[in-house]
Amino acid sequence: MDSATFTTTTRPSSSSSSSSYVLNFSNPTQKPRISSLSPASPRKSSIRIIHNRPISSCSAVTKAPLESTHPAPLQKLRRLASEFQALGDPADRLKHLLRRAALLPHLHPSKRLLSNRVMGCTAQVWLDLHLDGDGRVRVSADSDSDLTRGFLWCLLWVLDGASPEEVLELGTGDLSGLGVVGNSRVNTWHNVLVAIHKRTRAALAQREGRPRLHAFPSLVIAAQGIVAKGTYAEAQARYLFPDEAKVEELVNVLKEKKIGVVAHFYMDPEVQGVLTAAQKQWPHIHISDSLVMADSAVKMAEAGCEFIAVLGVDFMSENVRAILDQAGFEKVGVYRMSNERIGCSLAEAAANPAYMNYLKSASSSLPSLHVIYINTSLETKAHAHELVPTITCTSSNVVQTILQAFAQIPDLNIWYGPDSYMGANIAELFQQMAGMTDEEIAEIHPSHNRESIKSVLPRLHYYQDGACIVHDLFGHEVVSKIHELYSDAFLTAHFEVPGEMFSLAMEAKRRGMGVVGSTQNILDFIKLKVREALDRNVDENLQFILGTESGMVTSIVAAVRGLLGSVDLPSARANVKVEIVFPVSSDSVSRTSSNSLQSPSSIEGGDAFKLSVIPGVTSGEGCSIHGGCASCPYMKMNSLSSLLKVCNHLPDEMHLLSSYTAGRFNSQTPQGKSVADVGCEPILHMRHFQASRKLSEKLVNQILQNNPR
């Protein structure tokens, strides 16, 4: 599976924005008139400044003390832009920036604290901010890089002495079109400004006597150990010590009966702890997203496994069964972890008659392609494919799948479903792309440009009545709290989150501070940022907002601990701490098993590296309508006791596990075809796309002939 399938530019400029604005001045003191060039995109991300007459150099203004006058930041910003834009040679701009750096006073050592560091900057940046007696913002900053100090001088010259309202009104987009010196350090501008905004809001709240918001629960990972902050995190940390007897019991039965285990990232935390420890003794255990689960099962069958235990929801075990059959492993048994149905809100949305009615509308708009999320049943895929030619997608490859289909088939209509939030987020992303330059769009997909993107917008449709119950609750209250308390942190978000969370994460992504995508994309992003911090070899506190199901933290912590404990690191390595924040409501706390007796709040030193798991809560608890959902109740039906029960009863000669079997589909489609055969075809179309980056000739013919079978 692709670890990342689309990117948006991390080098904002006046030509790279999702929308563009022009500031028109008839004279230096006139308030600017702002006119949007892209009304479809709500977020301002760049400015172009048009001057009708020369403006005096900002360097002359600095001779007067800032306390004497308080010109508006936007006015000072245009003076700054004029000064640098008057220097046509980039080398001259660089020299000018370095001269500005020499004017920046160094921070006192008492202010160069780790707590004052700004995340996301190439160099080390320290920031100190307070409100003076008149309620104006007083900000100072420093860096270990002269180039960055030049950026800081410019930013502080614009903002120091301004009112809190003026500071908060200045957006990152207002900085994008300055063209001070290339784009290599542009994220420094943006991330420092975001940090200034956060500290300004906090100082203003303190001055007004408003109570501080409670922080989200979190886990802090360091080489010395792991610390849980908040009751929710403590409840999770109780599973840091997997039961060694259960690990041994599981390993013995897996080896004896040649059982492979494929498990989703979101499964029960106790199971993750035991499986993570068991992996060291039995290689046929794999924890991943839904698509890779089936691929791993095939590899296990090829290695001689006679049974596959699937820890996930029912559509995952269906897919594993079908893919094994397609690969010629019909005799390999596939087992679920419950004798009850393990559902999925997205799969259920697609099984609703309303979804088939949606596709019937699609079948009358030719040519059409149905792009269906993999989180649906095989039966749904089969029935859909008979109505409209269908290809499966994942959150990693959905954007590239859609762009390639539009590029490959003229006048194509695409119908995406069933996840309404993901559909809306895809549409929003394409709206943003319509405001990019052709070069930037080509970086995302080489066959597209601004005109082609604009032309496909009316032909992209998405279902509007389906959502994941976990990601559905990353709504307004959670987003508001993230914006207030964590705007300067790294933000990760699954592609299934609601639009507000998506927009926040995309804004962070443009600053190099976020990722939007699949669970694997999130994991890869966190690992990348930790590696970068270790390479810099300076003390750092990295903070990540986990915008997906809390069970994902197990794999994240395992990966981070592996990086922090790497033998390749220098002996005099810096102290890097990684905080994983769970954006859930304070009442999203569950009571854990009484069997977990160890103190969770702090695990010291080398003991942490003997541990095997960081969990989520059990039994589907941890959800709150007031601000987030911690875990999927369906995924938590995969218990350790069920896994051991299934394994111990194999082979099932007494037919005691018939209700646990991932059975084959013997039913027929409305056209009398095998559900298993027809339902697998959209998956095979996706596999062809992943291998070749093009739609298969068979699928193209089905679309053009309007005959899926």
Side-chain angles (χ1 to χ4, degrees):
M1 177 182 295
D2 300 336
S3 61
T5 59
F6 73 95
T7 58
T8 58
T9 178
T10 57
R11 306 184 308 276
S13 66
S14 60
S15 60
S16 66
S17 58
S18 59
S19 59
S20 181
Y21 293 77
V22 178
L23 303 190
N24 297 294
F25 300 93
S26 58
N27 63 67
T29 60
Q30 181 182 358
K31 185 177 181 179
R33 183 177 68 258
I34 304 178
S35 55
S36 172
L37 301 181
S38 181
S41 298
R43 291 189 300 277
K44 178 173 65 174
S45 62
S46 71
I47 59 172
R48 287 188 292 155
I49 302 180
I50 301 175
H51 303 281
N52 294 336
R53 67 181 190 178
I55 297 176
S56 59
S57 167
C58 68
S59 59
V61 181
T62 60
K63 296 177 181 178
L66 283 170
E67 288 80 359
S68 62
T69 59
H70 299 288
L74 264 180
Q75 183 181 6
K76 299 179 76 173
L77 191 64
R78 63 188 176 96
R79 293 180 182 177
L80 186 65
S82 176
E83 179 171 324
F84 279 94
Q85 290 173 359
L87 302 171
D89 188 344
D92 291 337
R93 293 184 183 183
L94 177 59
K95 292 176 183 177
H96 195 60
L97 190 68
L98 292 174
R99 285 194 290 270
R100 302 286 76 89
L103 300 176
L104 184 72
H106 286 284
L107 272 180
H108 190 273
S110 65
K111 300 293 186 181
R112 292 167 67 103
L113 304 173
L114 193 57
S115 58
N116 284 340
R117 284 276 302 281
V118 178
M119 280 184 284
C121 298
T122 304
Q124 294 187 84
V125 176
W126 296 269
L127 180 67
D128 184 57
L129 183 147
H130 68 277
L131 300 185
D132 65 14
D134 296 326
R136 292 191 170 272
V137 173
R138 292 300 171 185
V139 57
S140 53
D142 203 354
S143 175
D144 59 354
S145 161
D146 285 341
L147 183 60
T148 301
R149 281 174 51 81
F151 278 106
L152 293 175
W153 181 92
C154 295
L155 197 55
L156 269 56
W157 181 82
V158 170
L159 293 176
D160 187 62
S163 69
E165 294 76 17
E166 290 173 329
V167 170
L168 295 174
E169 285 175 359
L170 190 71
T172 56
D174 295 318
L175 306 175
S176 300
L178 292 176
V180 173
V181 52
N183 291 311
S184 61
R185 298 292 179 99
V186 74
N187 286 344
T188 296
W189 283 92
H190 296 169
N191 294 331
V192 173
L193 179 58
V194 168
I196 289 174
H197 283 173
K198 176 185 173 180
R199 287 160 171 77
T200 299
R201 287 192 296 267
L204 194 58
Q206 183 178 16
R207 185 183 185 91
E208 295 173 352
R210 286 184 273 129
R212 296 185 62 181
L213 294 175
H214 293 292
F216 287 128
S218 66
L219 287 168
V220 181
I221 313 147
Q224 298 79 18
I226 300 173
V227 176
K229 294 183 177 180
T231 53
Y232 179 78
E234 289 175 3
Q236 292 185 314
R238 292 185 186 277
Y239 288 101
L240 282 168
F241 296 91
D243 188 322
E244 293 183 6
K246 289 182 179 179
V247 173
E248 184 178 1
E249 178 185 357
L250 180 62
V251 169
N252 289 340
V253 71
L254 293 179
K255 287 181 176 180
E256 176 190 351
K257 301 186 177 183
K258 299 181 180 179
I259 302 170
V261 179
V262 292
H264 193 273
F265 283 129
Y266 296 168
M267 66 174 169
D268 180 86
E270 185 181 14
V271 181
Q272 291 208 53
V274 173
L275 286 183
T276 304
Q279 279 178 319
K280 300 173 183 178
Q281 304 176 55
W282 180 242
H284 305 304
I285 297 172
H286 191 80
I287 304 170
S288 67
D289 56 19
S290 54
L291 178 63
V292 179
M293 289 169 67
D295 295 336
S296 299
V298 172
K299 293 177 181 177
M300 292 173 188
E302 291 172 343
C305 289
E306 298 178 3
F307 307 99
I308 302 295
V310 179
L311 283 77
V313 296
D314 282 348
F315 78 79
M316 297 176 184
S317 57
E318 290 174 5
N319 286 344
V320 169
R321 173 73 277 165
I323 295 301
L324 281 171
D325 289 349
Q326 289 281 336
F329 293 104
E330 296 89 347
K331 294 183 179 181
V332 173
V334 178
Y335 291 89
R336 306 157 57 248
M337 293 301 107
S338 176
N339 58 0
E340 299 178 10
R341 183 176 152 279
I342 309 178
C344 169
S345 57
L346 278 178
E348 290 165 2
N352 192 295
Y355 194 75
M356 290 301 125
N357 291 334
Y358 163 73
L359 293 183
K360 287 177 182 177
S361 300
S363 66
S364 63
S365 301
L366 304 180
S368 280
L369 170 66
H370 175 218
V371 179
I372 189 169
Y373 196 26
I374 194 167
N375 292 13
T376 49
S377 72
L378 207 63
E379 188 172 28
T380 294
K381 294 180 179 74
H383 290 181
H385 194 41
E386 285 201 337
L387 283 172
V388 184
T390 298
I391 184 171
T392 304
C393 73
T394 70
S395 49
S396 288
N397 64 27
V398 60
V399 172
Q400 291 297 322
T401 300
I402 291 174
L403 288 174
Q404 179 58 32
F406 276 134
Q408 206 166 333
I409 303 175
D411 303 319
L412 180 66
N413 290 280
I414 287 183
W415 305 77
Y416 169 80
D419 192 308
S420 303
Y421 288 133
M422 188 183 294
N425 293 340
I426 294 167
E428 167 64 15
L429 174 63
F430 284 14
Q431 289 278 8
Q432 293 182 24
M433 289 177 63
M436 296 179 184
T437 65
D438 289 347
E439 292 76 13
E440 290 159 347
I441 293 171
E443 291 181 7
I444 300 173
H445 195 286
S447 298
H448 283 284
N449 54 39
R450 290 185 69 176
E451 291 305 313
S452 69
I453 294 297
K454 289 178 181 178
S455 72
V456 305
L457 293 177
R459 293 184 277 118
L460 174 63
H461 315 271
Y462 62 91
Y463 187 60
Q464 300 193 24
D465 196 21
C468 167
I469 61 172
V470 173
H471 298 114
D472 184 40
L473 289 180
F474 283 98
H476 177 71
E477 294 189 34
V478 165
V479 169
S480 296
K481 192 168 181 178
I482 292 173
H483 179 69
E484 187 73 16
L485 296 182
Y486 301 97
S487 56
D488 58 346
F490 294 101
L491 179 56
T492 74
H494 198 279
F495 219 151
E496 297 174 21
V497 297
E500 281 187 282
M501 185 73 167
F502 173 80
S503 297
L504 200 65
M506 286 298 291
E507 189 278 331
K509 179 180 174 65
R510 282 190 289 274
R511 296 185 282 112
M513 294 290 292
V515 63
V516 178
S518 68
T519 49
Q520 188 64 51
N521 296 148
I522 290 172
L523 179 59
D524 290 344
F525 175 80
I526 294 174
K527 288 163 61 178
L528 173 65
K529 294 304 176 182
V530 174
R531 286 194 195 98
E532 290 176 350
L534 293 172
D535 289 342
R536 286 190 291 270
N537 201 30
V538 295
D539 291 356
E540 289 199 59
N541 291 339
L542 306 181
Q543 190 177 58
F544 296 89
I545 308 301
L546 185 60
T548 189
E549 213 266 8
S550 62
M552 182 67 198
V553 77
T554 305
S555 296
I556 292 172
V557 172
V560 170
R561 281 172 40 200
L563 291 171
L564 296 181
S566 173
V567 296
D568 296 329
L569 294 176
S571 56
R573 63 190 181 195
N575 183 20
V576 175
K577 295 182 180 180
V578 179
E579 183 176 13
I580 307 298
V581 178
F582 305 96
V584 296
S585 174
S586 59
D587 59 352
S588 299
V589 180
S590 67
R591 185 175 300 278
T592 57
S593 168
S594 59
N595 295 331
S596 303
L597 301 178
Q598 291 85 353
S599 174
S601 57
S602 181
I603 297 91
E604 299 296 335
D607 289 341
F609 288 90
K610 298 175 184 178
L611 308 178
S612 299
V613 65
I614 302 289
V617 294
T618 61
S619 304
E621 298 171 348
C623 293
S624 167
I625 61 172
H626 300 296
C629 190
S631 58
C632 173
Y634 299 114
M635 287 290 188
K636 300 313 181 274
M637 293 173 70
N638 296 273
S639 67
L640 180 60
S641 60
S642 291
L643 175 59
L644 290 170
K645 174 184 175 179
V646 169
C647 292
N648 282 316
H649 278 89
L650 291 175
D652 188 24
E653 296 173 349
M654 303 296 292
H655 304 290
L656 300 176
L657 300 177
S658 57
S659 59
Y660 290 79
T661 303
R664 295 178 176 85
F665 278 98
N666 297 318
S667 57
Q668 306 293 309
T669 67
Q671 295 183 11
K673 304 289 185 178
S674 163
V675 165
D677 290 342
V678 181
C680 274
E681 191 163 323
I683 299 174
L684 297 177
H685 286 324
M686 178 182 66
R687 290 181 182 280
H688 183 280
F689 170 75
Q690 288 182 293
S692 67
R693 314 310 296 172
K694 293 183 179 180
L695 302 189
S696 68
E697 184 178 348
K698 181 178 182 180
L699 178 58
V700 171
N701 289 335
Q702 289 173 348
I703 295 168
L704 296 177
Q705 297 170 13
N706 190 32
N707 179 18
R709 300 300 297 162

